[in-house]
Amino acid sequence: MDDAGEEVSPPAGTWPFISVLMMSHNQQEYIGACLESILAMPYPGQLEVICCDDCSDDASFEIIERIAAAYRGPYRIVTHRCPTNGRVAVNMNTAVHLARGDWFMRVDGDDVMHPDRARLTGLAIMKHPGVMAVSGCLIPFEDEPSAVQNPAETALEYRVADRHDFAEGKPGWLEWWGCMMAMHRSVFEIFGDLPAECAVLDDTMFATRALLLGRFVIVSNGVMIYYRRHAANISSDRTRCRSVRDYLRADAAARDYYRRGIPCHEPILRELEAYTHDHPDCEDLLRYFRARFAELRRQALFWQKPWKERIADARIAGSWWRKLPWALRVSCPLAYALAARFLRK
């Protein structure tokens, strides 16, 4: 967006200059595969790789430097080790300040790039002038990713949403996992650095910024990244639960993630409120996130409330014989896990 408030984007037909921002912290087991997958991506336009390590105390940065020193390809590589551990938002800000590109493509150091990611992102930008963010699909894996072939360029499918579509719940497919997003640099030029408090919901903040400034495009049948599942993931996947213990662990991990996200709500809402003050047409997006964060807070603090409050909070209604089975399920985490394991299909 320029000073006159108009959306900016590379002209159609011009491959955008992309800066790949690789974020790492204590990922020595995975960082080599991640960086090598980035350097192996073919891209017709200008591309650089910013490796920003958040003061790892393992061998992560040494591995990064070794691979960068041996690289003889066309891409510019910058390696940087933060002097202190500032957590995700601060590390992201540091990488942004080191980047020269018009677009920032983030990747976490434990994931693996799909070879097509840069090309698919560039195509989406050129086909949709004015977009502020691009995303696509991910494939989870645990040990080694299984190679997935993307459709030909003529068969790629795009879905585009603006803030009004999102606030009204139309694009239920819209996900903004930070690991597969690319965003225009104006997301940072206009709003500035991410607040340090956004150490968990950093991707939510730059996604809301993108929605405020313009449109969001998804390559709906294009795989962008292979997402590694492991014990250190900050979010859990309940679809993989097979036992009561799995459900207990997944529930505890999810609620811990929600609790750590609570300090992030205020700066995101504060930024939304400030922008909405000057752009009243963004009010629907502000209302959505107020409700969304209220629900996340409810989830985070659920087990800390007295039993009667949990019953009300779970919105259990009806006569007592209908209410009782559901009320028992929210009596404690174990009762919830038992119900989830044996009663849910």
Side-chain angles (χ1 to χ4, degrees), residues 166-182:
F166 183 76
E168 293 171 9
K170 292 179 181 177
W173 41 265
L174 178 55
E175 291 287 352
W176 55 54
W177 291 48
C179 65
M180 62 182 182
M181 270 188 62

Side-chain angles (χ1 to χ4, degrees), residues 19 27 53 74 141 166 169 173 203 216 218 220 255 266 274 318 330 333:
S19 296
Q27 293 164 324
D53 183 74
F141 74 99
F166 183 76
W173 41 265
D203 49 358
F216 201 122
I218 307 291
S220 58
R255 295 187 195 280
E266 183 178 347
V330 300

